Amino acid sequence: MRKLRFTRSVGLLVLFVSLTAPTWSSGLSTEGFDEIEKRVASLKRPRSTTELVQSIASLAQTEAQRAFAAYVWVARNVDYDVDAFFGGGGSASEADDVFRTGKSVCQGYSELYKSLLEKLGIEAVLITGYSKAFGYQAGKRLTNTDHAWNAFKVDGNWYLAETTWAAGHVSGSRFVSDYTRFWFATSPEIFAYNHQPQDSAWLLTSKKRTLREYEQEKYVETYVLKSLFEAGYSPQEQAQVLAHAPLPQYFHQYAQSFKAIGGDVGVLARWLEQKAVPTIWSYEGQSITLLEYPQQSPLRIGQSYRFSMKILNCTAAAVISGGEFSFLKREGDVFSGEVKVKNGELRLSAQITNKGQQSYWPVLVYQSR
C-alpha cells in the first residue's frame, strides 16, 4: 500500500534518531496476547485518543502488552483510504485526524500508532522508506520513498510494527479488512523482505543493506509471509523456507497443509531446493500426522518407498501409483507400508469424509520420473 512521498525533513529526523544504534531481541514476551485481542475487539468506540489510551492501560499490564493492544486497535479500526491512494488526493495523516475519520494511508496509520505508544509511555519512531507490496513488480527500480511504518522500544530493545498491512489489503479498487498479528514485532529478517528504511540502521539486522541491494533481492509477496506465520512456522523456519524464494505457485497453501499434518520444515526446504514440491493436503476437522514419507521429489520409477501416517476416524489408507491401489497395513490409528513407484503420479490417500463425501482423499501427491 503505497503512493506517498515524504519530505526531506522527515528523512533527516529518522536519520537523527537512528544514531542511538537500535538493537532487536527475539525475546519479546507474547503472554496474554490472545486475551488482549479479544478485549480490544470488544472495546466501545472511545471519544478521544486519551480515552483510548486509558482503556489500553487498564487492560494491558506490561509494555509489550500495551504496545500490542495499541497495534490491534489501530489495525482493527482504521481503514485504508483507497480513494486517496488511487485518486492522488490527500488523506488524514495527523494522529487525531486519523482517529476521528477512521481512514488513512500508511503515514496516518504510523502517526496514530506512534502517538498512542508515546501516550502509553513507550518510546516509538515513525520510519520512512521503500516497500514491495501492492502494485510492485519484481526488478522495479525504486526512486522515491513510498511507505511508512514504526519501531517501538520495550525492555531496552527495538521492535518493528506495520499497522497498515496488519489492517488488511487492497483488492482491485477496494480495501479488504483482514487483521493479522503477523506484523507486530516481526522478525527483522522477515520484515526486510518487503521493507527498506531510508536509514538502514532501522533494518534492525546485523547486516545492513543499500537500496540498490534491496532492489536486486528476492521478492516474496506479503500474503506468503503472512501465511507462513499464521500456519505456525517460527521465524527460523520461515527463513529456512524463504531462502529458496521465489516460491512455486500455491506454495503457501502447501506449506500451511504440511505444517498441519506434522511435516518437517527441513524436508519442505529440500523439496524447494529440488524444485519439486509435492501437492500437499490437509482437511479441516480431520487429524492426520505424517510419520514416514519420501524426502526425495520427484520419486524414481521402480524404486520402493515407505509411507506411514496416523489418522483418526479412518477405516483405510492406500498409496495409488500408476492408477493401482496398494493398501497400507493398519495398526490402531497408524497406517503403514512400502510401495514400488510406477509411472505417473503417486498419491498417498486416506479414506475419510470431507465436505460430506467419503472417498480416498489425497494427503501427498508426488510426481515420478
Side-chain angles (χ1 to χ4, degrees):
M1 300 179 187
R2 314 197 319 268
K3 205 171 184 178
L4 188 63
R5 294 191 180 188
F6 298 94
T7 64
R8 183 180 299 273
S9 61
V10 173
L12 289 174
L13 174 60
V14 173
L15 179 61
F16 174 77
V17 175
S18 74
L19 295 178
T20 58
T23 58
W24 178 82
S25 168
S26 60
L28 183 73
S29 172
T30 60
E31 182 181 358
F33 278 19
D34 292 343
E35 182 62 25
I36 285 172
E37 279 182 328
K38 295 176 185 177
R39 295 181 67 182
V40 171
S42 66
L43 285 177
K44 293 183 179 179
R45 175 77 187 186
R47 291 168 294 183
S48 65
T49 55
T50 299
E51 184 177 311
L52 173 58
V53 166
Q54 290 172 344
S55 296
I56 290 174
S58 67
L59 64 85
Q61 304 304 312
T62 68
E63 281 192 337
Q65 290 175 347
R66 292 178 178 183
F68 179 63
Y71 165 93
V72 175
W73 194 93
V74 173
R76 286 193 177 278
N77 289 277
V78 179
D79 289 343
Y80 193 76
D81 193 343
V82 291
D83 292 335
F85 179 81
F86 288 107
S91 182
S93 59
E94 297 297 326
D96 287 340
D97 292 336
V98 176
F99 173 84
R100 177 178 52 82
T101 62
K103 184 180 291 188
S104 190
V105 291
C106 57
Q107 186 178 19
Y109 277 88
S110 303
E111 291 282 9
L112 176 56
Y113 186 55
K114 176 177 178 289
S115 175
L116 293 176
L117 291 183
E118 289 176 340
K119 290 180 179 181
L120 287 163
I122 299 171
E123 188 175 351
V125 297
L126 185 151
I127 301 170
T128 61
Y130 309 82
S131 67
K132 294 179 180 179
F134 182 80
Y136 175 79
Q137 297 294 324
K140 178 182 178 181
R141 189 71 184 265
L142 302 172
T143 55
N144 297 306
T145 56
D146 61 0
H147 196 45
W149 59 95
N150 296 101
F152 62 93
K153 193 175 187 180
V154 169
D155 297 329
N157 295 302
W158 285 95
Y159 299 90
L160 300 168
E162 167 65 85
T163 53
T164 309
W165 295 355
H169 60 274
V170 172
S171 177
S173 60
R174 66 189 183 92
F175 170 69
V176 178
S177 180
D178 184 22
Y179 165 78
T180 178
R181 190 189 294 188
F182 170 59
W183 293 109
F184 179 79
T186 313
S187 164
E189 285 74 17
I190 303 301
F191 201 88
Y193 273 96
N194 301 89
H195 297 78
Q196 173 67 23
Q198 281 183 292
D199 177 2
S200 64
W202 287 111
L203 284 168
L204 302 187
T205 56
S206 57
K207 180 182 178 182
K208 303 313 172 189
R209 177 182 65 188
T210 67
L211 179 58
R212 299 286 82 86
E213 290 172 332
Y214 175 57
E215 290 175 343
Q216 296 165 10
E217 287 188 355
K218 301 170 182 177
Y219 172 47
V220 180
E221 293 179 288
T222 54
Y223 74 87
V224 174
L225 301 176
K226 173 186 169 184
S227 70
L228 291 175
F229 167 81
E230 294 183 345
Y233 287 87
S234 69
Q236 294 76 20
E237 290 174 328
Q238 293 171 44
Q240 191 174 356
V241 168
L242 294 171
H244 300 281
L247 305 172
Q249 189 177 27
Y250 305 123
F251 173 78
H252 70 291
Q253 296 174 357
Y254 299 160
Q256 288 175 318
S257 291
F258 198 55
K259 188 72 172 180
I261 60 178
D264 181 82
V265 68
V267 176
L268 193 60
R270 190 172 301 116
W271 286 338
L272 284 168
E273 189 174 2
Q274 295 166 349
K275 300 187 184 304
V277 178
T279 303
I280 307 167
W281 299 83
S282 62
Y283 301 94
E284 187 175 356
Q286 181 66 56
S287 176
I288 300 175
T289 304
L290 291 173
L291 301 176
E292 296 178 84
Y293 53 96
Q295 298 186 12
Q296 171 188 328
S297 183
L299 303 181
R300 297 190 181 280
I301 298 172
Q303 186 169 332
S304 294
Y305 297 90
R306 183 166 176 79
F307 296 87
S308 179
M309 56 184 175
K310 182 177 180 179
I311 316 171
L312 302 183
N313 304 316
C314 178
T315 56
V319 173
I320 309 169
S321 182
E324 296 184 12
F325 278 67
S326 296
F327 292 94
L328 301 179
K329 181 180 178 181
R330 180 179 182 180
E331 294 183 6
D333 293 324
V334 176
F335 297 80
S336 305
E338 190 169 290
V339 178
K340 182 177 288 188
V341 177
K342 297 178 176 59
N343 190 32
E345 70 177 23
L346 178 146
R347 290 179 171 234
L348 172 64
S349 302
Q351 189 180 48
I352 56 176
T353 300
N354 178 47
K355 298 180 179 178
Q357 180 181 353
Q358 188 177 63
S359 182
Y360 279 90
W361 292 92
V363 178
L364 292 177
V365 180
Y366 292 85
Q367 300 301 314
S368 62
R369 68 182 180 189

